Amino acid sequence: MIHVPADTLRSLVTNIYIALGTPDDIARLVADTLVEANLAGHDSHGVMRTLQYIEMIEKGVIQPAARPSILDRRGARAIVDGGWGWGPPAAFLAAQTAAELARAKGVGAVTARRTNHVGRIGAYAQAIARAGQIGFILANVGAAVTPFGGRQRLMGTNPIAWAVPRAAGHEPLVLDFATSVLAEGKVRVAKDKGAPVPPGVILDSHGQPTQNPNDFYDGGMLLPFGGYKGYGVSVMVELLGGALSGSGVSPSPKYGGGNGTLVLALNIADFVDPAEFETDVEDYVARLKAAPTVDDVAEVLLPGEPEQIARRQREVEGIPLPEVTWEDLQAQARRLGVG
Ligand code: NAD
């Protein structure tokens, strides 16, 4: 592992995306979203994705110059068309539009279709919460997860995220996770390291439990988190993210890849006195932080706190990257004449 400063990574990948035909502002936004995922400790959704994205651009899956647009806006809802460009600008447009609608109408609901991979979805809920509202987002993605009790890939890793603002000076509470036991990117990391995945994460192509990450790529499948409950959540993500956005549920021929997305924003002042809400949030946070802990646990963490801890550390120490990933990124920059 080597440690690379966030700014170095930001400018390296920005330049790669510009060299591939991405407008400067979009290249900066995408690079920033990836580096933010690394800073948050979610390397599976960080700059290592660049190599996969380059391939997707070169195969015509990502149209690097496409800009997302609002296809239609009525009442408290809007529909974003990603135009099969980069995912993050489409998801930020959906989040920003949901927040605008919520300011005007109390709630905002925005779907996004024709949207490539949007990455760490917590970023978009967090953007809404930083603007003082409650944010919620879910997204379906290519089928890789079996239903509870089944042995066939019929759901994506289908992430969901909520973000709730806190008092001034505090980052929002952010809960953001895949509805599979483990995000697919983390199975890939284990495969690349030649390490086993923990028990209870994947089944092989015959439906047998296995810890060998290669079995997942040989036709195996991930398990949903939380047994039938996580399975049910994932079904709802397929229907609200995939069907409602017009993107299609992931195992259907209609689904064309990427993330079928739904974003919701709630304007707190339209529900309760914001000062009262803030007092309740801070009171509850104080109770959580004061909870007695079990052996080996120093303190109860809030949703979003592990990411803040990772960020503080990585801003100082740099972002840890496998040497091969760092070399691959530099080689791509040289190939494209920007390294
Ligand atoms: P994870 O299992 O690491 O869970 C992360 C969430 O749990 C965070 O909200 C974190 O703050 C909270 N958390 C973790 N430990 C905690 C503790 N001890 N106390 C309190 N809260 C704690 O996440 P994951 O399932 O591996 O997902 C990783 C990322 O992958 C997410 O950002 C997700 O959006 C992303 N993802 C994206 C896609 C896509 O298609 N775009 C698909 C799957 C996952």
Side-chain angles (χ1 to χ4, degrees):
M1 285 285 187
I2 58 164
H3 287 77
V4 185
D7 281 343
T8 307
L9 279 177
R10 235 180 238 119
S11 60
L12 179 79
V13 296
T14 300
N15 290 337
I16 290 176
Y17 300 156
I18 292 172
L20 289 160
T22 310
D24 290 22
D25 58 325
I26 294 183
R28 275 196 300 277
L29 184 137
V30 175
D32 200 50
T33 308
L34 295 178
V35 171
E36 285 296 316
N38 284 116
L39 284 171
H42 291 289
D43 295 324
S44 56
H45 288 72
V47 294
M48 75 172 239
R49 292 271 174 174
T50 298
L51 304 166
Q52 180 190 345
Y53 292 153
I54 292 173
E55 229 180 275
M56 290 170 81
I57 289 174
E58 292 179 343
K59 285 186 181 152
V61 176
I62 297 177
Q63 312 283 329
R67 287 188 183 271
S69 60
I70 296 174
L71 201 60
D72 191 31
R73 190 170 163 145
R74 188 176 353 121
R77 77 98 177 98
I79 298 169
V80 164
D81 179 3
W84 292 123
W86 287 98
F92 275 120
L93 177 63
Q96 188 194 330
T97 308
E100 271 170 34
L101 289 167
R103 257 190 303 281
K105 311 272 183 192
V107 298
V110 180
T111 55
R113 59 176 68 159
R114 303 199 322 139
T115 300
N116 276 304
H117 191 238
V118 304
R120 179 181 164 251
I121 67 163
Y124 312 106
Q126 196 169 5
I128 293 172
R130 282 186 178 147
Q133 300 175 343
I134 295 171
F136 175 73
I137 175 168
L138 53 78
N140 80 330
V141 63
V145 181
T146 178
F148 179 73
R151 54 180 180 88
Q152 187 181 11
R153 293 182 175 208
L154 286 176
M155 301 156 335
T157 53
N158 295 359
I160 47 179
W162 293 257
V164 173
R166 288 191 58 193
H170 295 283
E171 276 294 311
L173 296 159
V174 180
L175 181 63
D176 167 27
F177 57 80
T179 53
S180 47
V181 178
L182 210 60
E184 187 270 330
K186 293 180 180 170
V187 179
R188 190 179 296 272
V189 170
K191 175 178 172 282
D192 292 347
K193 281 190 191 155
V197 295
V201 169
I202 51 177
L203 301 181
D204 67 17
S205 58
H206 307 290
Q208 294 302 314
T210 171
Q211 286 185 255
N212 180 353
N214 294 308
D215 289 337
F216 172 73
Y217 297 97
D218 288 340
M221 57 217 87
L222 280 154
L223 287 160
F225 87 102
Y228 63 86
K229 297 184 185 181
Y231 152 62
V233 173
S234 190
V235 168
M236 295 303 164
V237 176
E238 287 294 341
L239 300 177
L240 274 71
L244 190 68
S245 71
S247 308
V249 296
S250 63
S252 76
K254 180 177 169 187
Y255 169 78
N259 287 136
T261 303
L262 171 69
V263 183
L264 303 178
L266 304 176
N267 194 41
I268 295 163
D270 283 296
F271 295 85
V272 69
D273 174 7
E276 186 186 331
F277 183 76
E278 184 178 296
T279 302
D280 283 351
V281 170
E282 293 308 320
D283 171 71
Y284 190 50
V285 162
R287 288 173 194 273
L288 293 171
K289 293 305 289 181
T293 57
V294 294
D295 290 350
D296 301 332
V297 174
E299 58 170 339
V300 166
L301 298 178
L302 303 170
E305 215 176 346
E307 287 74 15
Q308 290 169 32
I309 294 168
R311 189 173 222 290
R312 283 197 289 277
Q313 190 182 351
R314 289 171 172 216
E315 274 172 346
V316 175
E317 293 173 6
I319 290 166
L321 280 186
E323 270 155 36
V324 59
T325 306
W326 175 235
E327 280 159 19
D328 285 349
L329 285 172
Q330 288 178 306
Q332 289 292 346
R334 280 194 300 277
R335 178 177 76 88
L336 294 161
V338 291

